[in-house]
Amino acid sequence: MTEALPSWNTGTTKSAILDFVARTTKEGGPDFVPPAGRIAVFDNDGTLWCEKPFPIQAGFLFGKIAEQVKADPSLAEKQPWKAVAEGNHAWLGDAITKHYDGDDSDLKLMAAGLLSAYAGDDVEDFAAKADAFLRNSHNSALRRPNLKTAYAPMRELLQYLEDNGFTSFIVSGGGRDFMRPVTRELYGIPPDRVVGTTVALEYRETDGRIALQHSEKLELFNDGPAKVVQIWGRIGARPVFVAGNSNGDLQMMQFATQGVGPSLALLVNHDDEAREIAYTAGAEKVLAEARAQGWIVASVKDDWAQVFVD
Amino acid sequence: MTEALPSWNTGTTKSAILDFVARTTKEGGPDFVPPAGRIAVFDNDGTLWCEKPFPIQAGFLFGKIAEQVKADPSLAEKQPWKAVAEGNHAWLGDAITKHYDGDDSDLKLMAAGLLSAYAGDDVEDFAAKADAFLRNSHNSALRRPNLKTAYAPMRELLQYLEDNGFTSFIVSGGGRDFMRPVTRELYGIPPDRVVGTTVALEYRETDGRIALQHSEKLELFNDGPAKVVQIWGRIGARPVFVAGNSNGDLQMMQFATQGVGPSLALLVNHDDEAREIAYTAGAEKVLAEARAQGWIVASVKDDWAQVFVD
């Protein structure tokens, strides 16, 4: 038998994962979890694929926003069109950072603008656009195709969990319908197991033909407590395995670890400036809680033998 | 090899199902659907289990309502407590019938009262209560345990589809969290593949402990167009197989049959007064559309060799 999780270096992090899976799958053992209870949830941006210098979805939205400015130059006077037109990524990044600090004003401004980008699209047309973007875009800082910024050790972990009877779900702040076209191929996770941020879908019927279209109304920003509510709504069970990387994952990590049986919480810590982009901004609270609760902290630098998928 | 679908009588309905599955799973054939696209959706009340004389969930709610009246007799002066206290099932049944006729006034009155029954319950406590009720309650008219009012031919069909690489979902007007505790055992469908009516869940945190509770606020009545919106939201794909029995299933049957590839819509017609309860009330529109579109209509009387599971 080949060694499990070859992209993970030998050490306490890898051992903790292997030990958890061994204990929870050992029939008759004190920590045995029947397959139906082996539910795992994974954040996506920063946990399964790289979110720096900014989330992949931002490029998808910025491209369309730039088109809007070209068609109507007056838009360049207001946010978020202004920031996109000027290439002011700092404003956009700050909007997210400020959200984590409790100030949603710029995030709402950004969301309102960005969500208008694909309003009116039929759900299947939107899926085709997201699919094409994901397969043809690049991370300029890392000089890699975006789909090759998926983390090899995490993809391996998903496969390892599946091989051991776990069912994994993505529970992401990213757009549900944006991620879905590639999650099966990239992670082995089908669209029905992708939970994310959503715009309201509009139902229309014309002469008996049904159309389902993206509106520009934000339905749910899947972050923090909302992730817990959506986990129950979409999955109907308390997970026993949870992986995240930012403060927006804190509540689902608490929820998964507060059940009656065994559980494992894994926090990815981006501390490797050489092989990817290092940062802790937006992860301060969850890092502190991980230390307080004894959650597993995976160091990109020390625990990952390989960072990105080939 | 044993014959497929033994609870279905030989005839055009059974042949249509077998033919559809054969065509869509024949690699290289013109109607081949890859496993990822083999999505099937099933209504529950009246399609997978019996909904007469009233839906199983009604009993779950009525029992609690009766307790409320006992604790506060003044409640018996107003609906729906009045109807429950007086055993006036006609009022309750009419509320649903009126809804299908476009008049929601009594349904809203009923929902507001009924949803208060389990408000404040932790999601896991609610699941335990639903589970206990489902396993210990009976259908008084049919003199069978409620779980034995599941339809044998439909359960067989779910298994047959799974054996052929389909993934099935329940898309029901019934309560999502009410059905979930038994769907895996009864139908082979895990909780994450149960889509239904929902009350809003309330997130609470006390000293770092997270609680998720049922509120009394109706979040979504999963019926008609809402079923289509939820199919995309929860599944992320257009189904190719759809089964229903009432007007509330019409839109999802249209949606599933309006894709580019092959599809099959199956309508259960309750025309057997001898072995169960016959009715067409609430199914007039969908029966007419089935005839107009050439959808498959399964006659309980003629197509089902056995009605209920043993």
Side-chain angles (χ1 to χ4, degrees):
Chain A
M1 196 177 141
T2 53
E3 188 209 348
L5 305 179
S7 299
W8 292 73
N9 289 324
T10 303
T12 53
T13 303
K14 180 173 180 171
S15 296
I17 296 170
L18 296 177
D19 174 64
F20 177 78
V21 171
R23 284 188 287 122
T24 52
T25 56
K26 187 184 163 63
E27 233 163 314
D31 284 343
F32 179 70
V33 177
R38 294 181 204 158
I39 302 297
V41 291
F42 288 79
D43 171 57
N44 188 35
D45 294 297
T47 299
L48 295 180
W49 70 24
C50 183
E51 64 177 344
K52 295 291 174 185
F54 43 79
I56 298 178
Q57 192 169 3
F60 180 64
L61 296 169
F62 293 177
K64 193 67 190 277
I65 288 282
E67 283 176 32
Q68 291 179 323
V69 173
K70 198 174 260 182
D72 176 5
S74 74
L75 283 171
E77 303 297 314
K78 57 180 180 177
Q79 298 292 15
W81 292 270
K82 188 172 188 293
V84 173
E86 294 171 352
N88 184 357
H89 296 152
W91 183 86
L92 297 155
D94 286 352
I96 295 170
T97 306
K98 282 166 74 175
H99 156 74
Y100 284 120
D101 291 339
D103 175 2
D104 266 358
S105 55
D106 282 355
L107 184 75
K108 280 185 179 160
L109 212 59
M110 183 165 85
L114 297 184
L115 291 170
S116 72
Y118 292 95
D121 270 10
D122 181 271
V123 288
E124 284 158 334
D125 293 338
F126 179 89
K129 288 180 188 176
D131 185 75
F133 176 84
L134 282 161
R135 289 175 200 281
N136 296 300
S137 57
H138 286 68
N139 183 311
S140 54
L142 296 168
R143 300 175 176 275
R144 301 179 70 84
N146 274 323
L147 291 190
K148 301 270 184 194
T149 69
Y151 296 121
M154 297 304 284
R155 197 162 71 160
E156 234 173 56
L157 176 55
L158 286 167
Q159 183 63 53
Y160 178 66
L161 289 173
E162 185 178 330
D163 292 345
N164 282 281
F166 284 76
T167 304
S168 294
F169 296 79
I170 290 174
V171 179
S172 166
R176 177 194 69 198
D177 289 354
F178 174 70
M179 296 175 277
R180 276 174 161 172
V182 299
T183 54
R184 188 193 306 265
E185 188 180 319
L186 196 58
Y187 304 128
I189 295 181
D192 61 288
R193 289 198 255 127
V194 176
V195 182
T197 290
T198 56
V199 296
L201 300 177
E202 275 181 17
Y203 175 95
R204 296 176 193 276
E205 190 183 322
T206 314
D207 299 331
R209 294 287 306 178
I210 290 172
L212 211 51
Q213 298 176 343
H214 280 239
S215 74
E216 57 187 59
K217 195 182 148 223
L218 180 68
E219 184 179 60
L220 187 138
F221 181 41
N222 193 43
D223 193 59
K227 287 195 173 188
V228 177
V229 175
Q230 284 235 85
I231 282 171
W232 196 269
R234 292 284 305 275
I235 306 174
R238 190 191 289 264
V240 296
F241 190 108
V242 58
N245 80 301
S246 80
N247 296 337
D249 302 317
L250 174 60
Q251 289 82 0
M252 76 169 177
M253 296 178 85
Q254 292 175 311
F255 184 63
T257 53
Q258 291 176 357
V260 289
S263 59
L264 187 146
L266 178 73
L267 188 70
V268 177
N269 184 20
H270 294 280
D271 57 1
D272 189 334
E273 185 59 34
R275 296 183 298 172
E276 61 148 359
I277 296 163
Y279 62 103
T280 52
E284 304 85 349
K285 284 182 203 166
V286 74
L287 276 163
E289 185 72 3
R291 274 180 225 112
Q293 300 292 338
W295 295 342
I296 310 301
V297 178
S299 156
V300 171
K301 195 172 163 194
D302 299 328
D303 289 317
W304 289 2
Q306 179 181 345
V307 175
F308 296 117
V309 299
D310 291 322
Chain B
M1 196 177 141
T2 53
E3 188 210 349
L5 305 179
S7 299
W8 292 74
N9 289 324
T10 305
T12 52
T13 303
K14 179 172 179 171
S15 296
I17 296 169
L18 296 176
D19 173 64
F20 177 77
V21 171
R23 282 188 288 123
T24 52
T25 56
K26 187 184 164 61
E27 232 163 314
D31 285 342
F32 179 69
V33 177
R38 292 181 204 157
I39 302 296
V41 290
F42 287 80
D43 171 57
N44 187 34
D45 294 297
T47 300
L48 294 180
W49 70 24
C50 184
E51 64 178 343
K52 294 293 174 184
F54 42 79
I56 297 178
Q57 192 169 3
F60 180 63
L61 296 169
F62 293 177
K64 192 67 189 277
I65 288 284
E67 283 175 32
Q68 290 178 323
V69 172
K70 199 175 260 181
D72 177 5
S74 75
L75 283 171
E77 303 297 313
K78 56 180 181 178
Q79 298 293 16
W81 292 271
K82 188 172 189 292
V84 173
E86 294 172 352
N88 184 356
H89 296 152
W91 184 86
L92 297 154
D94 286 352
I96 294 170
T97 306
K98 282 166 74 177
H99 155 74
Y100 285 122
D101 291 339
D103 175 2
D104 266 359
S105 56
D106 282 356
L107 184 74
K108 280 186 177 161
L109 212 58
M110 183 164 86
L114 296 184
L115 290 170
S116 71
Y118 292 94
D121 270 10
D122 181 90
V123 288
E124 283 158 336
D125 294 338
F126 180 89
K129 288 180 188 176
D131 185 75
F133 176 83
L134 282 161
R135 290 175 200 282
N136 296 300
S137 58
H138 287 69
N139 183 312
S140 54
L142 296 169
R143 299 174 176 275
R144 301 178 71 85
N146 273 324
L147 292 189
K148 301 270 184 194
T149 69
Y151 296 120
M154 296 304 285
R155 198 162 70 160
E156 234 173 57
L157 176 56
L158 286 167
Q159 183 64 55
Y160 178 66
L161 289 173
E162 185 179 331
D163 292 344
N164 283 280
F166 284 77
T167 304
S168 293
F169 296 79
I170 290 174
V171 180
S172 167
R176 176 194 69 196
D177 290 353
F178 175 69
M179 297 175 276
R180 277 174 161 170
V182 299
T183 55
R184 189 192 306 264
E185 188 180 320
L186 197 56
Y187 304 128
I189 295 181
D192 61 288
R193 289 199 257 127
V194 175
V195 182
T197 290
T198 56
V199 296
L201 298 178
E202 276 181 18
Y203 175 93
R204 294 175 196 277
E205 190 183 322
T206 314
D207 300 331
R209 295 288 305 177
I210 289 172
L212 211 50
Q213 298 176 343
H214 280 237
S215 74
E216 58 187 58
K217 194 179 150 226
L218 180 68
E219 183 178 61
L220 187 138
F221 181 41
N222 194 42
D223 194 61
K227 288 195 172 188
V228 177
V229 175
Q230 284 235 85
I231 282 172
W232 197 269
R234 292 283 306 275
I235 305 174
R238 188 191 292 264
V240 296
F241 190 110
V242 57
N245 80 300
S246 80
N247 296 337
D249 302 316
L250 174 59
Q251 288 82 0
M252 75 169 177
M253 296 178 84
Q254 292 176 310
F255 184 63
T257 53
Q258 292 177 357
V260 289
S263 61
L264 187 146
L266 178 72
L267 187 71
V268 177
N269 184 20
H270 294 280
D271 58 0
D272 190 333
E273 185 59 34
R275 295 184 298 172
E276 60 147 2
I277 295 163
Y279 62 102
T280 52
E284 303 85 350
K285 284 182 204 166
V286 74
L287 276 164
E289 186 71 4
R291 273 179 226 113
Q293 300 293 338
W295 295 341
I296 311 301
V297 178
S299 156
V300 172
K301 195 172 162 195
D302 299 328
D303 289 316
W304 289 1
Q306 180 182 344
V307 175
F308 296 116
V309 299
D310 289 324

